[in-house]
Amino acid sequence: MGLGGGRFWIVTALSLSACGTAQPQGNEAVVQNATAAVQPPAEHFTTRCWAAGKSLEQDAKGLNVRAEPDAASAILGVLQSVVDPESHRWPGPPEYYGPGFRIVDVRGDWVKIDGTDPLSDGLGDDIPNYTGPGWVHSRGVVADLQRPGEAIDGPARAGPEESAAVIDADGALNAYGDHDAKLIDCRGEWVQIDYRVTSRRDAAGKWIDLTPAELAKVAPTRGWLRSYPFRTNITCESGALKCLPDGSVNWNATFGYE
């Protein structure tokens, strides 16, 4: 499976559901300079979840952050996509990734986020991101799951707690292998994911890909997996960053320039 030693990012490439009344077009017709004219929603931001996530939007224009979980909703800003510095290692077009953020809520095909990394750094210059709260389409969102090893086995459980029954001992590995895994819900550091097992261990414990005939018989698994907790020590809430009323970072104040 080429798991390596890095964290496991679960791709949630989804189609738009009834939560949005309009279908996104390409990158939802990204408006790069929309942040100045649009104000975020005035609601109090829930902290029901604090799972770590990241943008893997493959559109070079970035991933839109919207005021509501709807493709027709106002664009508050953009999470910039940058070229993966490792792209030169494989053939084909370059791959992109974007900033990390906190997953706060999930509603249908939409994910509510806040605390976005202020810069997207890849090949070339670092690009600033919208850092306030808002909604992003989950097709390009991944969750940072706790990796197996280091006394963490990464099982999928029946509920969002360590005492819940294990329904798939290799849950994190199996979810990682399914590029169409779907983010369903979140609670605290836990994320609920629908995924299909795409590989299995042989008699020697080595991972092998399932054959097309085997894949056709595989039913989806829905389980709770634990993510890494979001780094709450560098958010607006912690006081480490000085922020504007809309939740975005005031960098001049943060660095003592005003």
Side-chain angles (χ1 to χ4, degrees):
M1 295 177 61
L3 299 175
R7 294 181 177 178
F8 297 146
W9 297 98
I10 306 304
V11 178
T12 56
L14 310 175
S15 59
L16 189 63
S17 73
C19 290
T21 57
Q23 295 292 329
Q25 299 178 0
N27 185 44
E28 304 172 26
V30 170
V31 178
Q32 293 282 5
N33 298 317
T35 56
V38 182
Q39 294 298 319
E43 66 186 21
H44 294 292
F45 209 60
T46 176
T47 54
R48 180 171 76 92
C49 311
W50 49 88
K54 186 176 183 178
S55 169
L56 283 187
E57 174 59 61
Q58 293 304 298
D59 191 317
K61 295 179 180 178
L63 181 62
N64 289 331
V65 182
R66 294 185 176 272
E68 301 293 342
D70 190 324
S73 179
I75 297 174
L76 304 176
V78 177
L79 307 186
Q80 302 292 344
S81 295
V82 293
V83 176
D84 187 335
E86 298 297 315
S87 285
H88 68 280
R89 296 181 179 273
W90 49 82
E95 294 189 5
Y96 293 84
Y97 67 87
F101 44 74
R102 177 170 60 176
I103 295 173
V104 175
D105 201 356
V106 180
R107 190 180 302 175
D109 290 341
W110 296 85
V111 179
K112 200 171 190 179
I113 66 170
D114 73 354
T116 300
D117 291 336
L119 297 174
S120 290
D121 54 341
L123 293 178
D125 296 333
D126 294 344
I127 309 174
N129 295 299
Y130 171 77
T131 57
W135 294 88
V136 294
H137 197 277
S138 57
R139 70 177 184 279
V141 173
V142 294
D144 184 9
L145 297 186
Q146 291 191 3
R147 59 186 178 273
E150 302 176 7
I152 300 171
D153 295 328
R157 295 182 179 273
E161 55 188 6
E162 293 291 352
S163 61
V166 174
I167 60 176
D168 179 6
D170 294 314
L173 293 171
N174 286 325
Y176 171 70
D178 181 9
H179 290 173
D180 294 320
K182 180 176 182 178
L183 184 61
I184 301 297
D185 201 356
C186 61
R187 291 289 189 281
E189 298 173 11
W190 294 79
V191 289
Q192 188 182 41
I193 296 173
D194 275 356
Y195 63 91
R196 286 180 179 270
V197 175
T198 59
S199 59
R200 60 178 175 82
R201 298 180 190 268
D202 63 15
K206 181 181 178 181
W207 284 95
I208 58 175
D209 292 335
L210 297 184
T211 66
E214 290 174 322
L215 285 172
K217 300 177 181 178
V218 174
T221 297
R222 175 173 294 188
W224 288 90
L225 298 112
R226 194 167 190 170
S227 82
Y228 285 92
F230 183 79
R231 54 204 180 286
T232 53
N233 61 314
I234 58 169
T235 63
C236 298
E237 296 170 35
S238 71
L241 300 177
K242 305 300 182 184
C243 298
L244 298 171
D246 66 1
S248 59
V249 177
N250 183 335
W251 291 108
N252 285 334
T254 296
F255 291 111
Y257 298 140
E258 61 178 44

